[in-house]
Amino acid sequence: KQEVTQIPAALSVPEGENLVLNCSFTDSAIYNLQWFRQDPGKGLTSLLLIQSSQREQTSGRLNASLDKSSGRSTLYIAASQPGDSATYLCAVGVVKAAGNKLTFGGGTRVLVKP
Amino acid sequence: DTGVSQDPRHKITKRGQNVTFRCDPISEHNRLYWYRQTLGQGPEFLTYFQNEAQLEKSRLLSDRFSAERPKGSFSTLEIQRTEQGDSAMYLCASSSPETRGEQYFGPGTRLTVT
């Protein structure tokens, strides 16, 4: 059974500092890995999708890496801003039948202080 | 592209009542997923559809839960005889082969059972 862990559960940094968020998973037989942002009481916003054949993906200030063999992914957010304050979730997908069921970590709650 | 929509956004019900939620996926997406998220946790997979076929159900989906997608477009999730433990955010997501497994989430329905 796939298990996904995100440590730390919460993180507080001053504005301008780079953020490093960690995600680990137990089964390396994944189809893809997706990083999401969630604001309080809201749905999930997709940030980055990494296919199992890829090592990293970049979008603006965001960069996500994937190391399947060690079961790890890292999300880097450069030059953090107060607007980056949110919960960040990673989810791994495993193709089964015709779908791609996601297994989520518990999230890292980020606070960027002005 | 209007995104995934869910209705209602909030539902308060008394224990023992039945509730039904609706999800409208992105129009060209043939895959639809339901997840449940309790406070402070990551979402957990409930079930998914490809077109109108329900292809997988989690063990979390007890006999009191039923999901349908009758015409392969919108989906409904019904909970019968609600219990306080059903209080959670119910999230819907959609995808298609063209999204290469990337799932797009709706805003969620917050259920409170009193």
mmCIF file of all heavy atoms in Angstrom, chain B residues 1-39:
data_model
loop_
_atom_site.group_PDB
_atom_site.id
_atom_site.type_symbol
_atom_site.label_atom_id
_atom_site.label_comp_id
_atom_site.label_asym_id
_atom_site.label_seq_id
_atom_site.Cartn_x
_atom_site.Cartn_y
_atom_site.Cartn_z
ATOM 1 N N ASP B 1 -13.277 27.140 -20.850
ATOM 2 C CA ASP B 1 -13.019 26.175 -19.785
ATOM 3 C C ASP B 1 -13.362 26.808 -18.452
ATOM 4 O O ASP B 1 -12.670 27.685 -17.965
ATOM 5 C CB ASP B 1 -11.544 25.759 -19.823
ATOM 6 C CG ASP B 1 -11.202 24.771 -18.732
ATOM 7 O OD1 ASP B 1 -12.111 24.425 -17.937
ATOM 8 O OD2 ASP B 1 -10.056 24.342 -18.664
ATOM 9 N N THR B 2 -14.467 26.327 -17.831
ATOM 10 C CA THR B 2 -14.912 26.966 -16.595
ATOM 11 C C THR B 2 -14.383 26.240 -15.382
ATOM 12 O O THR B 2 -14.686 26.635 -14.265
ATOM 13 C CB THR B 2 -16.447 26.995 -16.550
ATOM 14 O OG1 THR B 2 -16.935 25.661 -16.660
ATOM 15 C CG2 THR B 2 -16.996 27.831 -17.689
ATOM 16 N N GLY B 3 -13.654 25.172 -15.527
ATOM 17 C CA GLY B 3 -13.136 24.453 -14.381
ATOM 18 C C GLY B 3 -14.166 23.497 -13.809
ATOM 19 O O GLY B 3 -15.313 23.412 -14.270
ATOM 20 N N VAL B 4 -13.755 22.773 -12.778
ATOM 21 C CA VAL B 4 -14.630 21.820 -12.096
ATOM 22 C C VAL B 4 -15.509 22.593 -11.116
ATOM 23 O O VAL B 4 -14.999 23.420 -10.354
ATOM 24 C CB VAL B 4 -13.803 20.761 -11.349
ATOM 25 C CG1 VAL B 4 -14.719 19.793 -10.610
ATOM 26 C CG2 VAL B 4 -12.894 20.017 -12.321
ATOM 27 N N SER B 5 -16.801 22.331 -11.136
ATOM 28 C CA SER B 5 -17.698 23.000 -10.197
ATOM 29 C C SER B 5 -18.386 21.968 -9.309
ATOM 30 O O SER B 5 -18.608 20.820 -9.722
ATOM 31 C CB SER B 5 -18.725 23.858 -10.928
ATOM 32 O OG SER B 5 -19.541 23.069 -11.757
ATOM 33 N N GLN B 6 -18.701 22.389 -8.087
ATOM 34 C CA GLN B 6 -19.365 21.515 -7.131
ATOM 35 C C GLN B 6 -20.500 22.278 -6.452
ATOM 36 O O GLN B 6 -20.389 23.477 -6.201
ATOM 37 C CB GLN B 6 -18.383 21.008 -6.069
ATOM 38 C CG GLN B 6 -17.338 20.077 -6.647
ATOM 39 C CD GLN B 6 -16.455 19.453 -5.571
ATOM 40 O OE1 GLN B 6 -15.259 19.712 -5.513
ATOM 41 N NE2 GLN B 6 -17.061 18.617 -4.740
ATOM 42 N N ASP B 7 -21.558 21.542 -6.162
ATOM 43 C CA ASP B 7 -22.717 22.164 -5.555
ATOM 44 C C ASP B 7 -23.372 21.191 -4.580
ATOM 45 O O ASP B 7 -23.509 19.994 -4.913
ATOM 46 C CB ASP B 7 -23.722 22.553 -6.650
ATOM 47 C CG ASP B 7 -24.910 23.299 -6.091
ATOM 48 O OD1 ASP B 7 -24.729 24.459 -5.645
ATOM 49 O OD2 ASP B 7 -26.003 22.722 -6.063
ATOM 50 N N PRO B 8 -23.752 21.624 -3.352
ATOM 51 C CA PRO B 8 -23.519 22.966 -2.828
ATOM 52 C C PRO B 8 -22.095 23.142 -2.335
ATOM 53 O O PRO B 8 -21.340 22.167 -2.307
ATOM 54 C CB PRO B 8 -24.501 23.014 -1.660
ATOM 55 C CG PRO B 8 -24.527 21.605 -1.148
ATOM 56 C CD PRO B 8 -24.437 20.739 -2.388
ATOM 57 N N ARG B 9 -21.737 24.330 -1.944
ATOM 58 C CA ARG B 9 -20.409 24.561 -1.383
ATOM 59 C C ARG B 9 -20.378 24.189 0.096
ATOM 60 O O ARG B 9 -19.351 23.757 0.611
ATOM 61 C CB ARG B 9 -20.002 26.012 -1.574
ATOM 62 C CG ARG B 9 -19.878 26.422 -3.043
ATOM 63 C CD ARG B 9 -18.656 25.779 -3.696
ATOM 64 N NE ARG B 9 -17.454 26.085 -2.969
ATOM 65 C CZ ARG B 9 -16.766 27.216 -3.102
ATOM 66 N NH1 ARG B 9 -17.161 28.123 -3.971
ATOM 67 N NH2 ARG B 9 -15.673 27.423 -2.398
ATOM 68 N N HIS B 10 -21.502 24.381 0.755
ATOM 69 C CA HIS B 10 -21.609 24.045 2.171
ATOM 70 C C HIS B 10 -22.942 23.343 2.406
ATOM 71 O O HIS B 10 -23.951 23.709 1.796
ATOM 72 C CB HIS B 10 -21.538 25.300 3.049
ATOM 73 C CG HIS B 10 -20.301 26.115 2.841
ATOM 74 N ND1 HIS B 10 -19.115 25.856 3.488
ATOM 75 C CD2 HIS B 10 -20.066 27.180 2.037
ATOM 76 C CE1 HIS B 10 -18.207 26.736 3.095
ATOM 77 N NE2 HIS B 10 -18.747 27.553 2.226
ATOM 78 N N LYS B 11 -22.919 22.352 3.299
ATOM 79 C CA LYS B 11 -24.145 21.663 3.658
ATOM 80 C C LYS B 11 -24.090 21.330 5.137
ATOM 81 O O LYS B 11 -23.124 20.702 5.595
ATOM 82 C CB LYS B 11 -24.300 20.392 2.825
ATOM 83 C CG LYS B 11 -25.532 19.570 3.137
ATOM 84 C CD LYS B 11 -26.786 20.241 2.666
ATOM 85 C CE LYS B 11 -28.008 19.364 2.890
ATOM 86 N NZ LYS B 11 -29.259 20.052 2.444
ATOM 87 N N ILE B 12 -25.117 21.758 5.862
ATOM 88 C CA ILE B 12 -25.257 21.393 7.261
ATOM 89 C C ILE B 12 -26.488 20.507 7.358
ATOM 90 O O ILE B 12 -27.558 20.879 6.883
ATOM 91 C CB ILE B 12 -25.397 22.631 8.168
ATOM 92 C CG1 ILE B 12 -24.165 23.531 8.022
ATOM 93 C CG2 ILE B 12 -25.590 22.207 9.625
ATOM 94 C CD1 ILE B 12 -24.286 24.854 8.767
ATOM 95 N N THR B 13 -26.343 19.357 7.969
ATOM 96 C CA THR B 13 -27.461 18.436 8.065
ATOM 97 C C THR B 13 -27.472 17.780 9.438
ATOM 98 O O THR B 13 -26.451 17.769 10.147
ATOM 99 C CB THR B 13 -27.381 17.367 6.959
ATOM 100 O OG1 THR B 13 -28.604 16.639 6.912
ATOM 101 C CG2 THR B 13 -26.240 16.380 7.234
ATOM 102 N N LYS B 14 -28.611 17.260 9.801
ATOM 103 C CA LYS B 14 -28.704 16.556 11.074
ATOM 104 C C LYS B 14 -28.396 15.082 10.862
ATOM 105 O O LYS B 14 -28.688 14.500 9.800
ATOM 106 C CB LYS B 14 -30.100 16.726 11.661
ATOM 107 C CG LYS B 14 -30.408 18.150 12.084
ATOM 108 C CD LYS B 14 -31.769 18.253 12.753
ATOM 109 C CE LYS B 14 -32.029 19.683 13.203
ATOM 110 N NZ LYS B 14 -33.351 19.830 13.845
ATOM 111 N N ARG B 15 -27.835 14.491 11.876
ATOM 112 C CA ARG B 15 -27.506 13.068 11.831
ATOM 113 C C ARG B 15 -28.722 12.256 11.426
ATOM 114 O O ARG B 15 -29.836 12.496 11.899
ATOM 115 C CB ARG B 15 -27.011 12.634 13.210
ATOM 116 C CG ARG B 15 -26.450 11.230 13.280
ATOM 117 C CD ARG B 15 -25.935 10.938 14.667
ATOM 118 N NE ARG B 15 -26.972 11.187 15.672
ATOM 119 C CZ ARG B 15 -26.763 11.150 16.983
ATOM 120 N NH1 ARG B 15 -25.560 10.916 17.452
ATOM 121 N NH2 ARG B 15 -27.733 11.375 17.825
ATOM 122 N N GLY B 16 -28.504 11.326 10.519
ATOM 123 C CA GLY B 16 -29.592 10.468 10.068
ATOM 124 C C GLY B 16 -30.240 10.905 8.763
ATOM 125 O O GLY B 16 -30.954 10.123 8.132
ATOM 126 N N GLN B 17 -29.978 12.152 8.364
ATOM 127 C CA GLN B 17 -30.541 12.645 7.111
ATOM 128 C C GLN B 17 -29.682 12.190 5.923
ATOM 129 O O GLN B 17 -28.505 11.854 6.072
ATOM 130 C CB GLN B 17 -30.617 14.174 7.135
ATOM 131 C CG GLN B 17 -31.524 14.731 8.216
ATOM 132 C CD GLN B 17 -32.962 14.335 7.978
ATOM 133 O OE1 GLN B 17 -33.526 14.594 6.916
ATOM 134 N NE2 GLN B 17 -33.583 13.699 8.958
ATOM 135 N N ASN B 18 -30.295 12.210 4.742
ATOM 136 C CA ASN B 18 -29.569 11.908 3.506
ATOM 137 C C ASN B 18 -29.126 13.209 2.843
ATOM 138 O O ASN B 18 -29.842 14.216 2.908
ATOM 139 C CB ASN B 18 -30.462 11.134 2.531
ATOM 140 C CG ASN B 18 -30.932 9.807 3.099
ATOM 141 O OD1 ASN B 18 -30.364 9.287 4.060
ATOM 142 N ND2 ASN B 18 -31.964 9.251 2.497
ATOM 143 N N VAL B 19 -27.964 13.175 2.218
ATOM 144 C CA VAL B 19 -27.477 14.348 1.486
ATOM 145 C C VAL B 19 -26.950 13.898 0.128
ATOM 146 O O VAL B 19 -26.490 12.756 -0.035
ATOM 147 C CB VAL B 19 -26.348 15.087 2.251
ATOM 148 C CG1 VAL B 19 -26.886 15.705 3.537
ATOM 149 C CG2 VAL B 19 -25.172 14.176 2.528
ATOM 150 N N THR B 20 -27.020 14.807 -0.829
ATOM 151 C CA THR B 20 -26.508 14.530 -2.175
ATOM 152 C C THR B 20 -25.692 15.717 -2.645
ATOM 153 O O THR B 20 -26.127 16.867 -2.528
ATOM 154 C CB THR B 20 -27.653 14.272 -3.167
ATOM 155 O OG1 THR B 20 -28.400 13.141 -2.724
ATOM 156 C CG2 THR B 20 -27.098 13.974 -4.562
ATOM 157 N N PHE B 21 -24.534 15.420 -3.199
ATOM 158 C CA PHE B 21 -23.650 16.451 -3.742
ATOM 159 C C PHE B 21 -23.511 16.236 -5.248
ATOM 160 O O PHE B 21 -23.558 15.104 -5.722
ATOM 161 C CB PHE B 21 -22.248 16.367 -3.117
ATOM 162 C CG PHE B 21 -22.228 16.308 -1.613
ATOM 163 C CD1 PHE B 21 -21.330 15.491 -0.949
ATOM 164 C CD2 PHE B 21 -23.116 17.064 -0.860
ATOM 165 C CE1 PHE B 21 -21.311 15.421 0.429
ATOM 166 C CE2 PHE B 21 -23.097 17.004 0.527
ATOM 167 C CZ PHE B 21 -22.193 16.176 1.168
ATOM 168 N N ARG B 22 -23.261 17.350 -5.932
ATOM 169 C CA ARG B 22 -23.098 17.267 -7.383
ATOM 170 C C ARG B 22 -21.730 17.796 -7.788
ATOM 171 O O ARG B 22 -21.213 18.751 -7.206
ATOM 172 C CB ARG B 22 -24.188 18.086 -8.077
ATOM 173 C CG ARG B 22 -24.031 18.153 -9.594
ATOM 174 C CD ARG B 22 -25.136 18.891 -10.251
ATOM 175 N NE ARG B 22 -24.847 19.137 -11.664
ATOM 176 C CZ ARG B 22 -25.692 18.860 -12.653
ATOM 177 N NH1 ARG B 22 -26.880 18.336 -12.395
ATOM 178 N NH2 ARG B 22 -25.353 19.120 -13.903
ATOM 179 N N CYS B 23 -21.172 17.181 -8.819
ATOM 180 C CA CYS B 23 -19.904 17.622 -9.390
ATOM 181 C C CYS B 23 -20.046 17.707 -10.905
ATOM 182 O O CYS B 23 -20.503 16.753 -11.555
ATOM 183 C CB CYS B 23 -18.784 16.649 -9.048
ATOM 184 S SG CYS B 23 -17.229 16.962 -9.936
ATOM 185 N N ASP B 24 -19.658 18.850 -11.453
ATOM 186 C CA ASP B 24 -19.602 19.024 -12.907
ATOM 187 C C ASP B 24 -18.133 19.130 -13.310
ATOM 188 O O ASP B 24 -17.474 20.120 -12.959
ATOM 189 C CB ASP B 24 -20.371 20.269 -13.343
ATOM 190 C CG ASP B 24 -21.865 20.066 -13.260
ATOM 191 O OD1 ASP B 24 -22.441 20.320 -12.181
ATOM 192 O OD2 ASP B 24 -22.446 19.633 -14.267
ATOM 193 N N PRO B 25 -17.627 18.146 -14.035
ATOM 194 C CA PRO B 25 -16.201 18.184 -14.409
ATOM 195 C C PRO B 25 -15.962 19.156 -15.555
ATOM 196 O O PRO B 25 -16.898 19.703 -16.133
ATOM 197 C CB PRO B 25 -15.953 16.742 -14.854
ATOM 198 C CG PRO B 25 -17.267 16.311 -15.433
ATOM 199 C CD PRO B 25 -18.314 16.990 -14.574
ATOM 200 N N ILE B 26 -14.702 19.346 -15.878
ATOM 201 C CA ILE B 26 -14.335 20.080 -17.090
ATOM 202 C C ILE B 26 -14.919 19.304 -18.264
ATOM 203 O O ILE B 26 -14.826 18.074 -18.324
ATOM 204 C CB ILE B 26 -12.813 20.229 -17.187
ATOM 205 C CG1 ILE B 26 -12.327 21.134 -16.044
ATOM 206 C CG2 ILE B 26 -12.384 20.768 -18.547
ATOM 207 C CD1 ILE B 26 -10.829 21.206 -15.879
ATOM 208 N N SER B 27 -15.527 20.020 -19.192
ATOM 209 C CA SER B 27 -16.421 19.398 -20.169
ATOM 210 C C SER B 27 -15.777 18.281 -20.993
ATOM 211 O O SER B 27 -16.415 17.278 -21.287
ATOM 212 C CB SER B 27 -17.005 20.455 -21.105
ATOM 213 O OG SER B 27 -15.975 21.131 -21.775
ATOM 214 N N GLU B 28 -14.538 18.398 -21.370
ATOM 215 C CA GLU B 28 -13.943 17.377 -22.231
ATOM 216 C C GLU B 28 -13.262 16.256 -21.445
ATOM 217 O O GLU B 28 -12.674 15.349 -22.040
ATOM 218 C CB GLU B 28 -12.936 18.010 -23.197
ATOM 219 C CG GLU B 28 -11.769 18.678 -22.533
ATOM 220 C CD GLU B 28 -11.996 20.151 -22.258
ATOM 221 O OE1 GLU B 28 -13.171 20.559 -22.124
ATOM 222 O OE2 GLU B 28 -10.995 20.894 -22.156
ATOM 223 N N HIS B 29 -13.355 16.292 -20.115
ATOM 224 C CA HIS B 29 -12.703 15.272 -19.284
ATOM 225 C C HIS B 29 -13.621 14.057 -19.108
ATOM 226 O O HIS B 29 -14.767 14.187 -18.675
ATOM 227 C CB HIS B 29 -12.337 15.841 -17.916
ATOM 228 C CG HIS B 29 -11.185 16.778 -17.957
ATOM 229 N ND1 HIS B 29 -10.661 17.366 -16.818
ATOM 230 C CD2 HIS B 29 -10.433 17.234 -18.987
ATOM 231 C CE1 HIS B 29 -9.635 18.129 -17.154
ATOM 232 N NE2 HIS B 29 -9.492 18.084 -18.473
ATOM 233 N N ASN B 30 -13.086 12.872 -19.404
ATOM 234 C CA ASN B 30 -13.906 11.672 -19.290
ATOM 235 C C ASN B 30 -13.705 10.955 -17.959
ATOM 236 O O ASN B 30 -14.446 10.035 -17.629
ATOM 237 C CB ASN B 30 -13.616 10.708 -20.452
ATOM 238 C CG ASN B 30 -12.190 10.180 -20.442
ATOM 239 O OD1 ASN B 30 -11.292 10.779 -19.867
ATOM 240 N ND2 ASN B 30 -11.999 9.040 -21.087
ATOM 241 N N ARG B 31 -12.723 11.386 -17.159
ATOM 242 C CA ARG B 31 -12.472 10.731 -15.872
ATOM 243 C C ARG B 31 -12.865 11.670 -14.740
ATOM 244 O O ARG B 31 -12.554 12.860 -14.778
ATOM 245 C CB ARG B 31 -11.009 10.330 -15.754
ATOM 246 C CG ARG B 31 -10.626 9.273 -16.765
ATOM 247 C CD ARG B 31 -9.149 9.014 -16.792
ATOM 248 N NE ARG B 31 -8.831 8.051 -17.851
ATOM 249 C CZ ARG B 31 -7.599 7.853 -18.327
ATOM 250 N NH1 ARG B 31 -6.590 8.534 -17.822
ATOM 251 N NH2 ARG B 31 -7.398 6.966 -19.281
ATOM 252 N N LEU B 32 -13.529 11.111 -13.747
ATOM 253 C CA LEU B 32 -14.024 11.910 -12.626
ATOM 254 C C LEU B 32 -13.734 11.174 -11.332
ATOM 255 O O LEU B 32 -13.955 9.959 -11.240
ATOM 256 C CB LEU B 32 -15.527 12.173 -12.795
ATOM 257 C CG LEU B 32 -16.184 13.126 -11.805
ATOM 258 C CD1 LEU B 32 -17.331 13.876 -12.470
ATOM 259 C CD2 LEU B 32 -16.670 12.398 -10.563
ATOM 260 N N TYR B 33 -13.242 11.899 -10.346
ATOM 261 C CA TYR B 33 -12.796 11.313 -9.079
ATOM 262 C C TYR B 33 -13.488 12.015 -7.914
ATOM 263 O O TYR B 33 -13.719 13.223 -7.957
ATOM 264 C CB TYR B 33 -11.290 11.502 -8.894
ATOM 265 C CG TYR B 33 -10.448 11.023 -10.050
ATOM 266 C CD1 TYR B 33 -10.293 11.800 -11.201
ATOM 267 C CD2 TYR B 33 -9.775 9.804 -9.988
ATOM 268 C CE1 TYR B 33 -9.509 11.366 -12.259
ATOM 269 C CE2 TYR B 33 -8.988 9.368 -11.045
ATOM 270 C CZ TYR B 33 -8.856 10.155 -12.177
ATOM 271 O OH TYR B 33 -8.077 9.724 -13.223
ATOM 272 N N TRP B 34 -13.764 11.244 -6.865
ATOM 273 C CA TRP B 34 -14.229 11.807 -5.597
ATOM 274 C C TRP B 34 -13.194 11.490 -4.512
ATOM 275 O O TRP B 34 -12.693 10.349 -4.421
ATOM 276 C CB TRP B 34 -15.571 11.215 -5.183
ATOM 277 C CG TRP B 34 -16.746 11.708 -5.962
ATOM 278 C CD1 TRP B 34 -17.380 11.102 -7.011
ATOM 279 C CD2 TRP B 34 -17.484 12.927 -5.720
ATOM 280 N NE1 TRP B 34 -18.435 11.862 -7.441
ATOM 281 C CE2 TRP B 34 -18.530 12.978 -6.667
ATOM 282 C CE3 TRP B 34 -17.359 13.961 -4.796
ATOM 283 C CZ2 TRP B 34 -19.445 14.031 -6.725
ATOM 284 C CZ3 TRP B 34 -18.258 15.003 -4.850
ATOM 285 C CH2 TRP B 34 -19.292 15.036 -5.806
ATOM 286 N N TYR B 35 -12.922 12.512 -3.680
ATOM 287 C CA TYR B 35 -12.026 12.372 -2.547
ATOM 288 C C TYR B 35 -12.716 12.972 -1.322
ATOM 289 O O TYR B 35 -13.593 13.837 -1.442
ATOM 290 C CB TYR B 35 -10.704 13.129 -2.770
ATOM 291 C CG TYR B 35 -9.844 12.600 -3.890
ATOM 292 C CD1 TYR B 35 -10.060 13.007 -5.208
ATOM 293 C CD2 TYR B 35 -8.799 11.714 -3.638
ATOM 294 C CE1 TYR B 35 -9.263 12.531 -6.244
ATOM 295 C CE2 TYR B 35 -7.994 11.233 -4.666
ATOM 296 C CZ TYR B 35 -8.232 11.650 -5.961
ATOM 297 O OH TYR B 35 -7.438 11.177 -6.983
ATOM 298 N N ARG B 36 -12.268 12.559 -0.152
ATOM 299 C CA ARG B 36 -12.770 13.126 1.099
ATOM 300 C C ARG B 36 -11.575 13.629 1.907
ATOM 301 O O ARG B 36 -10.548 12.933 2.001
ATOM 302 C CB ARG B 36 -13.540 12.077 1.905
ATOM 303 C CG ARG B 36 -14.114 12.609 3.210
ATOM 304 C CD ARG B 36 -15.015 11.592 3.863
ATOM 305 N NE ARG B 36 -14.275 10.447 4.395
ATOM 306 C CZ ARG B 36 -14.847 9.398 4.945
ATOM 307 N NH1 ARG B 36 -16.164 9.325 5.015
ATOM 308 N NH2 ARG B 36 -14.122 8.411 5.406
ATOM 309 N N GLN B 37 -11.744 14.808 2.502
ATOM 310 C CA GLN B 37 -10.663 15.409 3.273
ATOM 311 C C GLN B 37 -11.199 15.852 4.626
ATOM 312 O O GLN B 37 -12.108 16.678 4.702
ATOM 313 C CB GLN B 37 -10.062 16.608 2.534
ATOM 314 C CG GLN B 37 -8.857 17.213 3.229
ATOM 315 C CD GLN B 37 -8.273 18.378 2.468
ATOM 316 O OE1 GLN B 37 -8.961 19.069 1.719
ATOM 317 N NE2 GLN B 37 -6.966 18.607 2.630
ATOM 318 N N THR B 38 -10.625 15.310 5.681
ATOM 319 C CA THR B 38 -10.966 15.765 7.029
ATOM 320 C C THR B 38 -9.946 16.793 7.476
ATOM 321 O O THR B 38 -8.849 16.903 6.912
ATOM 322 C CB THR B 38 -11.019 14.583 8.003
ATOM 323 O OG1 THR B 38 -9.785 13.853 7.925
ATOM 324 C CG2 THR B 38 -12.167 13.646 7.664
ATOM 325 N N LEU B 39 -10.308 17.539 8.494
ATOM 326 C CA LEU B 39 -9.522 18.695 8.924
ATOM 327 C C LEU B 39 -8.078 18.311 9.258
ATOM 328 O O LEU B 39 -7.837 17.389 10.033
ATOM 329 C CB LEU B 39 -10.203 19.333 10.140
ATOM 330 C CG LEU B 39 -9.900 20.806 10.374
ATOM 331 C CD1 LEU B 39 -10.351 21.636 9.179
ATOM 332 C CD2 LEU B 39 -10.582 21.281 11.651
#
